[in-house]
Amino acid sequence: MKLLLTHAYFLYEDAKELQIMRPYAPLGILYLSSHLRAKGFEVEIYDSTFGSRDELSRILHNDAPAILGIYANLMTRGRAVEIIGEAKAAGWRVIVGGPEPSNYAGEYLRAGADVVVRGEGEIAVEALMASGFDRSAWPGIEGIVYLEESGETVRTGPARHIANLDAQPWPDRQRIDIPRYMQTWRDYHGRSSISLITARGCPYRCNWCSHSVYGHTHRRRSASAAAAEVEWLRDRYNPDMLWIADDVFTIHHGWLFEYAAELKHRGIRIPFECITRADRMNERVAATLAELGCMRVWIGSESGSQRILDAMQRGVTIEQVQLAVELSKANGIETGMFLMWGYDGEEIADIEATVEHVRSCRPDKFLTTVSYPIKGTPYFEKLAGRLVNIGPWQTTTDRAFQIRGRHSRRFYGFADELLRREMAEVPDAAAIVAARRGLAETYAETEA
Ligand code: B12
Ligand code: SF4
């Protein structure tokens, strides 16, 4: 029986993503596809990135109903739920997976999905396909959730992880329009980019971060296998740059040095971006990244207040972040900082500390978010009693929760304004004063 894999990210129907215009291939379903095809299953992919809901609807209505597998994350929930409803009405059977469905298995099942796959998908989906979608086999399949005919929810044991990532086929990029991704990058950013991963999972425990797919495992591909994929990407697509989408690319120093040697040996040096933790940077790591062609490193800085970093269980110090930025700059690598406002307990003094921290680091880029509790994380549990839903589950996201007693969005707007004004090439003293006044005046406003 055929499996059609898709995801619910439609670039041209998402105003926010259209502004960002940095599309990357959906690696999760590409990995599922290559795994399942290697096992002899018939798999097709509808890559929604450049597609449309209408086009997918036509496929669901015109093709003979089979099994539809949908990837969903916290932002694509609404679309995923619409697709589930439509597919079921057209006679398809539906599997959902990805980082969000396991957090809301009951909701996805009630929305019509036949089965939710929790975590790493390859082994569980293979078993579902091998069962011919016969429910009597499902109790023996690990990593799934489904409803019995009686309405009772069955949750089998944890998903089995792939022990040897090197034995897996590479993601099925040839089956989607990678040149279109590259052209979009060229059109909007002047150079093409392709993503890859060299590892799965992160062992750290920052308490707002979702670990629903890989838990706290960390499994690496061998340096030579990762380098071989890079070589293949170069030969097949010749991208101007790469994005290494690992959670923490520099986590294992020995591996990084081996990978650098592998690429050197193959004569490959492609500019790339990656994410690091400040405590996983040192002089040799920064120099190795530079030698490899790293053009920008993103550092999860989050806050300039040690008190808040500690509350997040971030496991890094302000000084480590400052040093990581310094080392990157000294090696000619651009730096980007991720920052978070509104973590529980943050006060104006912490916001001021963050502004001061960013001012002293002077990164090339910084991105701010107002913190949000993702279901399944310790942060969500901590705030559970104060979360206010602002709409029906199907049409909201975990980003939309309001937190009772937390400062208003306007307040964080002033925090952002203060930071941007302070970081402007020519700081405007009056605007800085106005932003500080805004913070003080809206201090008592709460979002719920
Ligand atoms: C790359 C990435 C992005 C890229 C996505 C580009 C792309 N098309 O891949 C960009 C930068 C755009 C992005 C944006 C966002 N992201 Co992001 N991102 C990641 C990251 C770092 C890697 C994803 C990846 O490729 N993983 C490797 C593949 C192999 O794993 P996978 O996709 O999970 O697939 C496996 C399983 O999920 C499962 N599976 C996947 N698909 C399917 C389908 C079916 C049918 C089944 C059964 C199983 C299944 O099997 C796969 C193979 O084992 C993850 C963290 C992570 N390490 O996974 C965060 C992550 C997915 N992102 C996250 C978030 C929160 C966001 C944003 C909301 C951030 C923001 N504040 O804007 C936005 C949402 C954008 C949007 N509109 O969708 C969260 C999601 C949490 C959640 N519960 O949904 C994650 C998990 C980070 C985290 N730890 O908190 N992200
Ligand atoms: S925020 Fe980064 S370092 Fe922290 S747990 Fe998540 S992926 Fe790991």
Side-chain angles (χ1 to χ4, degrees), residues 202-206 208-209 211 247-248 277 314:
C202 173
Y204 292 96
R205 292 181 183 263
C206 310
W208 36 261
C209 176
H211 286 251
D247 290 319
V248 187
R277 283 173 57 93
R314 184 83 182 116

Side-chain angles (χ1 to χ4, degrees), residues 3-7 9 14 16-17 20 22-32 49 68-76 95-101 103 115-122 125 128 162 181 195 197 199-202 208-214 243 245-247 275 369 372 374-375 377 398-399:
L3 171 69
L4 173 63
L5 287 171
T6 193
H7 56 112
Y9 171 86
D14 186 325
K16 178 107 194 283
E17 293 295 325
I20 303 171
R22 291 173 183 269
Y24 280 108
L27 287 180
I29 58 173
L30 300 187
Y31 267 112
L32 282 185
T49 301
L68 179 69
I70 312 172
Y71 166 89
N73 70 26
L74 131 170
M75 290 308 281
T76 57
I95 310 179
V96 289
E100 161 146 311
N103 294 332
V115 56
V116 170
V117 169
R118 297 191 283 145
E120 189 158 291
E122 283 90 341
V125 179
L128 285 166
I162 295 164
Y181 282 88
S195 61
I197 55 165
R200 290 188 178 188
C202 173
W208 36 261
C209 176
S210 173
H211 286 251
S212 61
V213 176
Y214 300 119
W243 179 33
D246 296 9
D247 290 319
I275 303 178
T369 345
Y372 51 95
I374 303 178
K375 183 131 188 256
T377 63
D398 286 1
R399 284 194 76 161

Side-chain angles (χ1 to χ4, degrees), residues 164-298:
N164 177 11
L165 292 177
D166 281 354
Q168 290 299 117
W170 296 339
D172 248 344
R173 296 186 182 86
Q174 309 92 296
R175 311 200 70 222
I176 64 167
D177 194 354
I178 293 287
R180 185 154 182 201
Y181 282 88
M182 294 173 65
Q183 192 54 47
T184 307
W185 269 86
R186 261 185 235 110
D187 291 345
Y188 287 85
H189 309 289
R191 51 186 165 186
S192 58
S193 184
I194 293 187
S195 61
L196 79 149
I197 55 165
T198 74
R200 290 188 178 188
C202 173
Y204 292 96
R205 292 181 183 263
C206 310
N207 63 11
W208 36 261
C209 176
S210 173
H211 286 251
S212 61
V213 176
Y214 300 119
H216 291 93
T217 64
H218 179 70
R219 285 161 292 147
R220 299 210 69 83
R221 302 168 61 191
S222 67
S224 62
E229 187 178 343
V230 171
E231 185 170 14
W232 179 82
L233 288 173
R234 181 198 63 183
D235 295 347
R236 179 160 178 131
Y237 300 110
N238 196 22
D240 299 320
M241 58 177 263
L242 300 172
W243 179 33
I244 301 185
D246 296 9
D247 290 319
V248 187
F249 179 53
T250 54
I251 202 165
H252 189 313
H253 295 175
W255 182 93
L256 184 73
F257 305 144
E258 232 184 281
Y259 173 73
E262 283 285 343
L263 285 191
K264 194 168 181 187
H265 173 68
R266 290 163 200 256
I268 300 173
R269 189 177 186 275
I270 306 175
F272 71 96
E273 287 188 79
C274 64
I275 303 178
T276 186
R277 283 173 57 93
D279 58 337
R280 300 312 297 151
M281 276 291 252
N282 62 30
E283 270 183 41
R284 184 165 171 211
V285 168
T288 306
L289 287 176
E291 182 193 315
L292 274 167
C294 182
M295 36 154 310
R296 183 177 303 127
V297 67
W298 288 93

